[in-house]
């Protein structure tokens, strides 16, 4: 096929990866809130219980990224992405056909697996192999949050016409042409991927886990990631509880996601200028103000506050990776990212149910949102202290190892 990074073939590869990302990760996170009340009724569970579905998605996504990383090297990126797209289609169809909450939890877990394979592991393998000089640009285009932007509003509108079952089955059907396009990709693997992983593995675990700034950053990022996940789950129910219509509440979540189109490049520029830890702390400050504003402001200010929150939250994955790279360099960033992600998994699992439980107990989202704002103040302190920690030279890290 030649070098897929050149000309139309490279553009086609990026386009297909963008579709796979949006129709797996985008659907998993961008539509969950729109289905929330419908799933409550279908499965006969309360708000705190149904929120565990998003916990299953987030936890399985993280575990799959950690566990399946080596397996993806033995598969071709095309097969990895195809497996993820197919898994997502099966999960969506299963959600539309079942009325068992236990089966639904398994389907949400399958959504997390599908998103990890199709939206994270496969495209990263392609970027590393075929776009070594432009991997950042390739992944930025792949991760454009298009479905996250339009998904909440679109699904809310379709639900009114097709109902819960029909909407899930329609989403599953949309994955079939995406799968066909993925299977037409002609991208494989090469030995350099294994060599890069071996090089990264040269940095021992002790050299990572003994650093205070690693723990401070990881814990601060965990709080931010958890609160961001909680917002995607509860934004639409929160808007409706405040008196907004279903479509208006969905627009609020769409604005949150769409603001990432501006937030990702902005905070990427800041990370290069002032360092990722400081950029993360600034992001946490903006999020803290936004959550407090949502709790205290009238509904007329929700769109603006959601945009602020989205612009500061959606760059988290990019800032997380940049922080690990700045701390450990090329020979340790990948391994450090994996361990750091493992630290935040418990936070991802518990945040959404806790917010749902608080709503059930108080009948009001505002106290829970103020508590989220307070937790983000803690995250800002952790990230600020990490940014003040003197970064040791890479040579010193290697010598200590």
């Amino acid at each position: 096929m030649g070098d897929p990074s050149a000309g139309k073939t490279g553009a086609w590869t990026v386009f297909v990866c963008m579709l796979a990302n949006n129709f797996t990760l985008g659907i998993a996170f961008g539509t969950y809130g729109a289905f929330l009340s419908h799933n409550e009724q279908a499965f006969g569970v309360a708000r705190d219980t149904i929120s565990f579905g998003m916990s299953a998605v987030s936890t399985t996504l993280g575990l799959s990224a950690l566990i399946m990383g080596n397996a993806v090297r033995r598969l071709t990126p095309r097969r990895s992405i195809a497996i993820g797209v197919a898994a997502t289609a099966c999960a969506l169809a299963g959600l539309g056909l079942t009325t068992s909450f236990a089966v639904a939890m398994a389907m949400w877990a399958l959504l997390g697996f599908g998103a990890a394979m199709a939206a994270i592991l496969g495209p990263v393998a392609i970027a590393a192999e075929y776009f070594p000089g432009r991997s950042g640009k390739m992944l930025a285009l792949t991760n454009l949050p298009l479905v996250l932007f339009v998904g909440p509003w679109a699904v809310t509108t379709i639900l009114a016409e097709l109902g819960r079952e029909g909407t899930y089955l329609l989403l599953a059907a949309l994955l079939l042409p995406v799968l066909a396009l993925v299977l037409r990709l002609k991208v494989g693997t090469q030995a350099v991927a294994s060599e890069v992983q071996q090089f990264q593995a040269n940095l021992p675990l002790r050299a990572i886990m003994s650093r205070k700034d690693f723990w401070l950053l990881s814990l601060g990022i965990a709080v931010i990631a958890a609160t961001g996940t909680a917002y995607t789950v509860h934004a639409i129910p929160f808007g409706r509880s405040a008196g907004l219509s279903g479509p208006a509440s969905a627009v609020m979540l769409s604005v949150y996601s769409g603001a990432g189109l501006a937030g990702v490049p902005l905070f990427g520029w800041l990370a290069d200028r002032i360092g990722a830890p400081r950029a993360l702390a600034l992001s946490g400050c903006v999020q803290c103000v936004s959550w407090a504003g949502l709790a205290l402001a009238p509904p007329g200010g929700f769109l603006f506050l959601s945009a602020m929150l989205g612009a500061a939250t959606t760059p988290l994955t990019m800032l997380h990776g940049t922080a690990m790279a700045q701390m450990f360099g090329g020979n340790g960033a990948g391994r450090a990212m994996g361990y750091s992600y493992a630290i935040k998994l418990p936070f991802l699992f518990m945040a959404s149910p806790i917010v749902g439980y608080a709503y059930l107990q108080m009948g009001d989202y505002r106290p829970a949102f103020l508590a989220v704002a307070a937790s983000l103040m803690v995250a800002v302190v952790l990230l600020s202290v990490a940014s003040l920690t003197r970064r040791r030279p890479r040579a010193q890290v290697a010598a200590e190892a």
Side-chain angles (χ1 to χ4, degrees), residues 333-377:
R335 194 177 190 195
M337 185 74 170
Y339 290 123
S340 184
Y341 207 106
I343 291 170
K344 72 179 182 180
L345 283 178
F347 293 82
L348 291 174
F349 186 81
M350 292 305 299
S352 297
I354 288 174
V355 172
Y357 177 78
Y359 170 76
L360 287 178
Q361 295 302 306
M362 292 175 279
D364 191 344
Y365 270 113
R366 290 177 296 179
F369 278 28
L370 287 173
V372 169
S375 70
L376 284 164
M377 291 178 63

Side-chain angles (χ1 to χ4, degrees), residues 270-310:
L270 284 173
D272 289 336
R273 297 283 294 183
I274 64 176
R278 289 190 177 91
L280 280 162
L282 178 60
S283 168
C285 287
V286 175
Q287 292 172 61
C288 179
V289 172
S290 300
W291 279 95
L294 287 166
L296 301 174
F302 286 177
L303 283 181
F304 174 73
L305 291 166
S306 293
M308 281 181 56
L309 185 61

Side-chain angles (χ1 to χ4, degrees), residues 228-314:
T229 300
Y231 189 76
T232 62
V233 173
H234 294 285
I236 292 177
F238 162 70
R240 301 193 71 167
S241 72
L244 298 180
S245 66
S249 301
V251 169
M252 191 171 71
L253 186 56
S254 294
V255 168
Y256 166 88
S257 303
L261 296 171
V264 171
L266 172 61
F267 278 94
W269 176 79
L270 284 173
D272 289 336
R273 297 283 294 183
I274 64 176
R278 289 190 177 91
L280 280 162
L282 178 60
S283 168
C285 287
V286 175
Q287 292 172 61
C288 179
V289 172
S290 300
W291 279 95
L294 287 166
L296 301 174
F302 286 177
L303 283 181
F304 174 73
L305 291 166
S306 293
M308 281 181 56
L309 185 61
T313 304
T314 50

Side-chain angles (χ1 to χ4, degrees), residues 60-76 79-80 83-84 112-118 120-122 125 197:
T60 309
L61 186 148
L63 290 174
S64 299
L66 291 171
I67 295 170
M68 297 300 295
N70 289 333
V72 170
R73 290 177 8 199
R74 295 190 293 271
L75 300 168
T76 64
R79 288 176 182 169
S80 300
I83 289 170
F113 169 78
M117 296 294 285
I120 298 176
L121 296 176
Q197 178 156 350

